Amino acid sequence: MDVTARTDSGAVIVVAKKEYREIGLDTEGNERLGAWQIKEIIDLTLPPQKRIDERFIVEFPENTNTAEIEVILKYYLSPSYESTVHKLTKKISFGK
Amino acid sequence: MHIPLLARLFLMLLTMLIPAAAVAGVNTLDELEKVYGDKACMTCHEKVHGEWQKSLHSKSVVHVLGGLRNFITFGLTRDWKKPVDKANLMRCMHCHAPLLEHASESLMADIGALIVAAFDGKEGAKKELSRLNVNCIVCHNTAAIVETNLRGQPKPGVYYGPTGKTTPAHGTEKSAAITTSAFCSRCHWLYTPPDGDTLYCNTLYGSYQDAYRSSGGAATCQDCHMKSKGRGHTFPGAYEPEMVREGISMDLHATGAILQPGKGIKTAVIIVGLMNNAGHRIPDG
């Protein structure tokens, strides 16, 4: 998941990047990719029937009046095969 | 359903071939396809067969060539220094091409070589391997009985399904197991080969049982991946963007505020909500 903000003055701010996946480990704790090597997992996936709220706070340059927040959720079937699951934007403003 | 006499005779002959081949061990892909292939099923089950052809079950070997080749080249040969033989290849093929349990050692050696050749882009190798898959025979016969210790092995030439509706073309039996998630767990879970090792290709059924069912979930794999929206035998999963979108919903809330009195820092508070609507963890397989 990539969260970015674009200000009315043209600045692009990378707010956050979060990954949800399993990390496969061998018995010595080394990350492994082959199924035959993996003996334990660190579970960083999205659990079933659960909602996760990710909260971010980001500061903007003084000359910002408005900004557009964009969140893109991508699914990677492999490092080279991605598909966009959701893309949402929201405009915010500062002061009156 | 009317089935022409010749087709009926062909199917009966096919049924008779199964036990003989199972004992001897088939030596070629042609022979394996002749006895355990999906072509005969097409005669009467054209629509379902067409759905299955679109599914990854029909491409369960060629779709994962890289992983299979890495297991042979780096796992077996380089790290374990073990032969590329039937016992070792079946660690993968138990799920990716279950009908190879009927293959001879010489055919398994050929399969190992074909996998490496196909990965290296050798012409024809991938086409040959595309004949290996998880076909009708696997789910409706060889793997149809979940509790073989209680119910015995599947009967040759008998096809198991949720209704057990009879047909003159072949024997049929009703299977309660084929509609359960436990049926899919044969492959969509940890695999333990006969030597007691554990293979973590995927762990989907684990989170289904331990996180979804334990919190009151009642849908089965078949409910979402077959019955819903007429998905049938296409078994859509993570390779279908629509399926992933259905599995995960996302919402965005953002508020602008000017914080720290005196300094006036322009700040956004952003909350992104992700809901996994599926009956298993995401991602998994």
Side-chain angles (χ1 to χ4, degrees):
Chain A
M1 180 174 76
D2 295 312
V3 185
T4 52
R6 286 180 179 78
T7 71
D8 54 343
S9 58
V12 177
I13 299 167
V14 176
V15 177
K17 191 178 183 71
K18 292 223 50 149
E19 290 184 358
Y20 305 92
R21 63 184 180 114
E22 284 181 339
I23 299 173
L25 302 177
D26 65 15
T27 52
E28 292 169 356
N30 303 304
E31 183 175 1
R32 296 294 185 184
L33 301 176
W36 72 93
Q37 301 166 309
I38 297 168
K39 299 302 165 209
E40 290 190 318
I41 57 165
I42 296 172
D43 189 349
L44 302 177
T45 62
L46 295 170
Q49 300 293 310
K50 293 273 188 320
R51 180 185 165 89
I52 290 176
D53 284 316
E54 303 286 7
R55 301 175 185 204
F56 310 102
I57 294 181
V58 59
E59 295 180 1
F60 289 89
E62 201 177 331
N63 63 349
T64 306
N65 296 310
T66 61
E68 186 175 78
I69 312 298
E70 181 182 83
V71 185
I72 300 178
L73 184 69
K74 290 178 185 170
Y75 195 100
Y76 286 86
L77 293 151
S78 69
S80 60
Y81 191 117
E82 65 169 63
S83 66
T84 297
V85 182
H86 294 295
K87 180 179 175 180
L88 295 174
T89 57
K90 179 153 189 188
K91 206 158 189 179
I92 59 168
S93 59
F94 300 100
K96 290 184 179 174
Chain B
M1 177 189 330
H2 175 72
I3 300 165
L5 180 64
L6 267 178
R8 241 184 287 173
L9 286 171
F10 172 71
L11 289 166
M12 283 171 69
L13 184 65
L14 202 68
T15 297
M16 289 160 67
L17 279 170
I18 288 177
V23 173
V26 296
N27 287 312
T28 66
L29 277 176
D30 283 343
E31 202 183 335
L32 189 76
E33 195 170 50
K34 195 182 290 177
V35 183
Y36 300 104
D38 54 279
K39 299 284 186 296
C41 310
M42 276 172 67
T43 314
C44 301
H45 304 282
E46 195 179 354
K47 179 178 174 285
V48 169
H49 187 269
E51 291 172 357
W52 169 80
Q53 278 185 313
K54 293 177 193 159
S55 78
L56 284 183
H57 283 168
S58 76
K59 307 167 187 74
S60 54
V61 168
V62 289
H63 180 68
V64 292
L65 266 184
L68 296 173
R69 177 266 189 183
N70 287 347
F71 174 59
I72 291 170
T73 305
F74 303 125
L76 284 179
T77 308
R78 186 191 68 188
D79 297 342
W80 293 359
K81 297 175 178 40
K82 291 277 172 67
V84 184
D85 61 10
K86 184 173 178 179
N88 282 316
L89 283 178
M90 284 309 288
R91 291 168 188 275
C92 304
M93 298 309 181
H94 172 81
C95 289
H96 288 279
L99 291 171
L100 283 176
E101 73 181 82
H102 305 293
S104 65
E105 280 291 350
S106 81
L107 176 55
M108 291 305 281
D110 292 345
I111 299 294
L114 277 171
I115 289 169
V116 175
F119 182 83
D120 292 340
K122 297 269 165 58
E123 208 173 308
K126 193 172 177 182
K127 194 177 172 197
E128 279 294 286
L129 290 171
S130 69
R131 299 160 75 183
L132 295 171
N133 44 46
V134 179
N135 70 10
C136 325
I137 313 289
V138 173
C139 293
H140 293 281
N141 179 271
T142 58
I145 295 179
V146 173
E147 306 155 285
T148 49
N149 49 354
L150 176 68
R151 299 174 195 279
Q153 294 296 325
K155 297 169 194 159
V158 172
Y159 294 93
Y160 298 78
T163 66
K165 190 178 164 191
T166 57
T167 163
H170 53 72
T172 54
E173 266 190 37
K174 184 176 177 175
S175 162
I178 208 166
T179 63
T180 66
S181 296
F183 178 76
C184 310
S185 77
R186 181 185 195 268
C187 290
H188 294 274
W189 199 19
L190 262 183
Y191 172 58
T192 303
D195 67 5
D197 195 4
T198 50
L199 290 179
Y200 269 95
C201 260
N202 59 66
T203 58
L204 196 146
Y205 186 71
S207 65
Y208 171 81
Q209 279 292 352
D210 298 337
Y212 174 70
R213 294 300 286 249
S214 67
S215 61
T220 63
C221 311
Q222 293 87 338
D223 284 337
C224 299
H225 294 273
M226 293 184 79
K227 292 179 191 167
S228 174
K229 299 183 178 176
R231 289 173 169 139
H233 285 70
T234 59
F235 312 106
Y239 283 83
E240 297 296 332
E242 182 208 334
M243 202 71 195
V244 182
R245 267 191 285 279
E246 201 175 293
I248 308 170
S249 46
M250 183 172 91
D251 53 76
L252 165 65
H253 304 273
T255 306
I258 301 170
L259 303 184
Q260 298 189 32
K263 288 187 181 172
I265 308 290
K266 291 176 176 172
T267 307
V269 177
I270 303 163
I271 302 172
V272 182
L274 293 172
M275 175 71 196
N276 176 357
N277 307 304
H280 50 79
R281 63 164 72 95
I282 297 178
D284 206 332

